[in-house]
């Protein structure tokens, strides 16, 4: 029999040019340098401009537009990271970041994510990743216990419930909507009935909901955005929802899915979960609770009432990467009946068949998500809860809420400002008040100018929304490194610039 010839380097014993991308010495050296970079970055990020002063296309002008042919020392990449990439970064980690709901982080989460990346587990079936599958399930049950979710959402019982860690809230909405869609079609004549399905949310629901409706094939004419108003603090009006669902059912349509939000993006409004679930039950519609940001607060007993009625919902999602110190990406989805997801999402190619799956003793993660491959996200979430425990996580939430209240008190004491909605959790929505001969439009423009000036300094970053037709500033407390001094400093800057703006508008 013939054999393949050995390469000359093997014959001569020379292996200096052999490519070993996981050479142990390189792994140790590179990671030590990367860890030093991370630690230095987090220590110095407070001094960096929150928003970069770069123009679109800046990075392509600084870095070689063509891929390198030959290798280079790792230090070259680290230097370009410092010199070119870092100056174009919006620093979500900055304690002066107040714009969007936070993207929190922690030493435990970073460590867990690093280890998960190194292991590079692909958890599509239990067999492909037993520990990753079971640790994810355990972490979800731990968090469900902290949130006081009812037993049907747990995977540690015989209820058929459980969960999965997805990348984003959009994915959680999509998989539950698809499951609700398919269940409704089975009840109402199959695929031919798709054009009759209707879905519901408030006009304050995250835009991702309306996007996933398109992806799920729901006719845009059948997506109901129920108008909200100041009378309900921009929460979904259950009576208005009931009327619309009755109208649709009376017209021969099929109410299929309701998305209730605990902590809307614009104002942190909380929809009445219990009342919504009661109404949806009449029409056999799926109820999903989007608690992406504010759900984290419900690990504290004083906030759990916001989830009242969750026991009558079909699914709930929240994102620890927003406010529970677990870095992106980590969205937890719990369903009371995993079979309703797997009925729509299950895939059984021969090459993934195995005895454990066939036994029915496990639910493979691939059958609870859009894709097949699955990252080891459960490790960082478990690391966070195991390292810090419930008490410290609650302390973290309460500290942010206290700082937001401190900021709110400052705004309330200054007659130049007004609130548009009551503060919920750690978000304060305010604007410059109409004064003198100003119109509402003048106040909108002054508030817009204030935001532009603040963000232009690089010292803080705030965002805006439009509520009730008015331009509103959103001040979101919660960046992991934030302390009272950062909130106070931002407030003093806001006061100073508001004075300059209003003084400049005087005749």
């Amino acid at each position: 029999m013939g054999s393949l010839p050995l390469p000359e380097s093997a014959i001569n014993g020379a292996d200096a040019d052999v490519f070993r991308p996981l050479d142990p010495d390189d792994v140790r050296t590179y990671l030590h340098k990367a860890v030093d970079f991370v630690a230095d970055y987090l220590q110095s990020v407070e001094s960096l401009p929150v928003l970069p002063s770069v123009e679109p296309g800046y990075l392509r002008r600084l870095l070689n537009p063509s891929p390198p042919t030959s290798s280079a020392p790792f230090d070259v990449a680290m230097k370009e990271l410092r010199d070119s990439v870092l100056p174009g970064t919006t620093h979500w980690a900055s304690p002066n970041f107040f714009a969007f709901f936070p993207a929190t982080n922690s030493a435990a989460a970073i460590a867990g994510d690093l280890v998960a990346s190194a292991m590079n587990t692909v958890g599509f079936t239990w067999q492909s990743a037993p520990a990753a599958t079971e640790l994810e399930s355990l972490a979800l049950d731990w968090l469900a216990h902290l949130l006081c979710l009812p037993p049907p959402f747990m995977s540690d019982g015989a209820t058929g419930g459980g969960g999965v860690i997805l990348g984003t809230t959009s994915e959680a909405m999509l998989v539950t909507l698809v499951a609700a869609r398919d269940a409704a079609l089975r009840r109402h004549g199959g695929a031919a009935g798709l054009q009759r399905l209707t879905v519901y949310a408030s006009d304050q629901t995250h835009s991702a909901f309306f996007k996933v409706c398109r992806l799920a094939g729901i006719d845009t004419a059948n997506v109901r955005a129920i108008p909200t108003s100041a009378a309900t603090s921009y929460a979904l009006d259950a009576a208005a929802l009931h009327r619309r669902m009755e109208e649709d059912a009376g017209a021969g349509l099929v109410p299929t899915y309701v998305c209730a939000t605990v902590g809307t993006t614009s104002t942190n409004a909380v929809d009445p979960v219990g009342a919504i679930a009661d109404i949806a039950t009449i029409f056999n519609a799926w109820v999903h609770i989007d608690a992406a940001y504010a759900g984290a607060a419900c690990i504290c007993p004083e906030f759990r009432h916001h989830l009242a009625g969750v026991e009558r919902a079909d699914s709930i999602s929240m994102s620890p990467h927003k406010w529970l110190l677990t870095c992106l990406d980590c969205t937890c989805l719990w369903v009371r009946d995993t079979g309703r997801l797997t009925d729509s999402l299950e895939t059984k190619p021969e090459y993934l068949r195995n005895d454990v799956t066939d036994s029915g003793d496990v639910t493979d993660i691939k059958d609870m998500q859009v894709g097949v491959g699955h990252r080891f996200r459960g490790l960082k979430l478990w690391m966070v809860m195991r390292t810090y425990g419930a008490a410290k996580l609650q302390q973290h939430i309460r500290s942010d809420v206290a700082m937001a209240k401190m900021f709110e008190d400052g705004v309330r004491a200054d007659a130049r400002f007004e609130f548009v909605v009551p503060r919920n959790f750690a978000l304060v929505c305010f604007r410059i008040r109409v004064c003198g001969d100003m119109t509402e439009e003048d106040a909108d423009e002054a508030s817009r100018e204030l935001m532009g000036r603040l963000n232009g300094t690089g010292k803080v970053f705030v965002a805006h929304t439009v509520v009730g037709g008015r331009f509103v500033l959103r001040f979101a407390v919660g960046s992991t490194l934030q302390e009272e001094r950062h909130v106070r400093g931002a407030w003093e800057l806001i006061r100073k610039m508001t004075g300059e703006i209003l003084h400049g508008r005087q005749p």
Side-chain angles (χ1 to χ4, degrees), residues 212-417:
V212 303
C213 287
R214 296 197 304 273
L215 293 174
I218 304 297
D219 189 331
T220 55
N222 290 350
V223 179
R224 313 299 190 214
I226 308 299
T228 59
S229 69
T232 60
S233 296
Y234 297 97
L236 179 60
D237 184 339
L241 172 68
H242 193 182
R243 288 192 298 271
R244 191 59 198 264
M245 295 179 83
E246 278 189 326
E247 291 172 6
D248 287 338
L253 299 174
V254 181
T256 299
Y257 184 97
V258 184
C259 182
T261 305
V262 175
T264 59
T265 301
S266 281
T267 64
N268 250 342
V270 177
D271 292 341
V273 172
I276 290 170
D278 289 342
I279 295 164
T281 299
I282 300 170
F283 302 94
N284 200 20
W286 183 297
V287 176
H288 176 68
I289 302 171
D290 169 17
Y293 159 73
C298 297
I299 69 170
C300 300
E302 63 268 29
F303 294 115
R304 284 186 186 133
H305 66 278
H306 292 297
L307 292 179
V310 64
E311 68 279 359
R312 299 193 296 284
D314 297 280
S315 56
I316 176 173
S317 62
M318 62 89 72
S319 299
H321 62 235
K322 288 186 180 293
W323 203 12
L324 209 60
L325 303 179
T326 307
C327 52
L328 279 163
D329 51 0
C330 184
T331 290
C332 298
L333 169 66
W334 295 270
V335 291
R336 68 167 54 252
D337 183 357
T338 56
R340 297 182 70 184
L341 279 189
T342 59
D343 284 348
S344 294
L345 303 171
E346 187 177 59
T347 178
K348 291 183 175 180
E350 186 61 34
Y351 54 83
L352 293 184
R353 291 285 299 273
N354 62 86
D355 291 342
V356 180
T357 295
D358 290 345
S359 73
D361 292 336
V362 299
T363 299
D364 289 332
I365 290 176
K366 68 178 174 60
D367 297 328
M368 297 181 67
Q369 61 179 22
V370 175
V372 175
H374 191 79
R375 293 186 61 229
F376 193 178
R377 297 186 182 98
L379 181 56
K380 60 187 174 186
L381 179 59
W382 175 82
M383 280 276 205
V384 167
M385 290 189 286
R386 187 66 188 87
T387 301
Y388 301 125
K392 284 191 175 179
L393 294 175
Q394 290 168 341
Q395 177 186 341
H396 154 69
I397 296 291
R398 288 168 176 151
S399 173
D400 287 347
V401 173
M403 287 191 289
K405 185 180 184 304
M406 179 185 71
F407 182 85
E408 175 192 33
D409 290 343
V411 175
R412 179 174 287 108
D414 193 321
R416 298 173 298 178
F417 299 100

Side-chain angles (χ1 to χ4, degrees), residues 66-73 76:
S66 301
T69 301
S70 57
S71 60
V76 171

Side-chain angles (χ1 to χ4, degrees), residues 41-58:
Y41 170 73
L42 294 174
Q43 191 171 35
S44 64
V45 67
E46 177 179 352
S47 64
L48 302 175
V50 190
L51 277 175
S53 56
V54 295
E55 300 294 332
Y58 92 97

